[in-house]
Structures are given as C-alpha cells and as structure tokens.
Amino acid sequence: MPTSPVKTRIPITSFGHLITEVKRQLFGIEAPASVELTGLRKYFNSYTLQGRRNWVLATYGILLVTATACYMHRQNKKEAPKDCTT
C-alpha cells in the first residue's frame, strides 16, 4: 500500500490547509510573517483565513456586479422605444 510522504500533524479541514501543509513539508515553503505582507497582499493572500475569505468575497462581488449589469442592460434593450419614421 503506497504511503504519502506528507505527515500531517494537524487535522486537515480543507483543501487550502492541505496545500499549505504540502508546500511546507515537501517544498520547504513557509508562510510569510504578517510583517512581510504589504499592500494588497496583506488583505488578499492564500496564507491566512482572512486573506482567503477576502478573495472569495471579491470573486462573489465581481460575479454579482457582472450579473446585475447584464440584467440591467437587457432591461434597457426591452424598454427602448422603436424609431418611428414615416
């Protein structure tokens, strides 16, 4: 039976936690300290739960704005008066 080279010390509760643990153990990539994160990386990162949450909220927000714009554009097309030239 094949075994994984990754030894989990904490219960893996999500795919993001699994990826972080694999990066740490196999590739030696450590999460940067909060002091190292500056600018937008401080709020949108894959290392903290708040950073992941912000990415999800931004993605849903963009989808909502796009859907609303498409819906409003479709409504404007239906309400436009016909050009009546004789």
Side-chain angles (χ1 to χ4, degrees):
M1 176 178 219
T3 60
S4 172
V6 177
K7 295 169 183 49
T8 58
R9 297 173 301 140
I10 57 172
I12 304 299
T13 56
S14 71
F15 186 69
H17 287 100
L18 175 66
I19 295 300
T20 302
E21 192 67 20
V22 167
K23 280 196 251 183
R24 189 183 72 69
Q25 289 185 17
L26 292 182
F27 306 119
I29 300 172
E30 293 288 333
S34 60
V35 177
E36 295 175 11
L37 297 174
T38 59
L40 284 178
R41 291 192 68 193
K42 183 176 183 180
Y43 303 105
F44 295 96
N45 61 62
S46 63
Y47 299 107
T48 62
L49 288 177
Q50 182 180 4
R52 291 181 193 146
R53 184 203 61 181
N54 289 341
W55 272 112
V56 169
L57 293 176
T59 302
Y60 285 152
I62 289 171
L63 289 173
L64 182 67
V65 167
T66 303
T68 304
C70 288
Y71 178 75
M72 291 176 67
H73 180 68
R74 187 173 294 166
Q75 289 295 326
N76 287 342
K77 274 188 171 180
K78 289 179 183 177
E79 293 175 3
K82 302 278 183 178
D83 185 20
C84 35
T85 57
T86 26

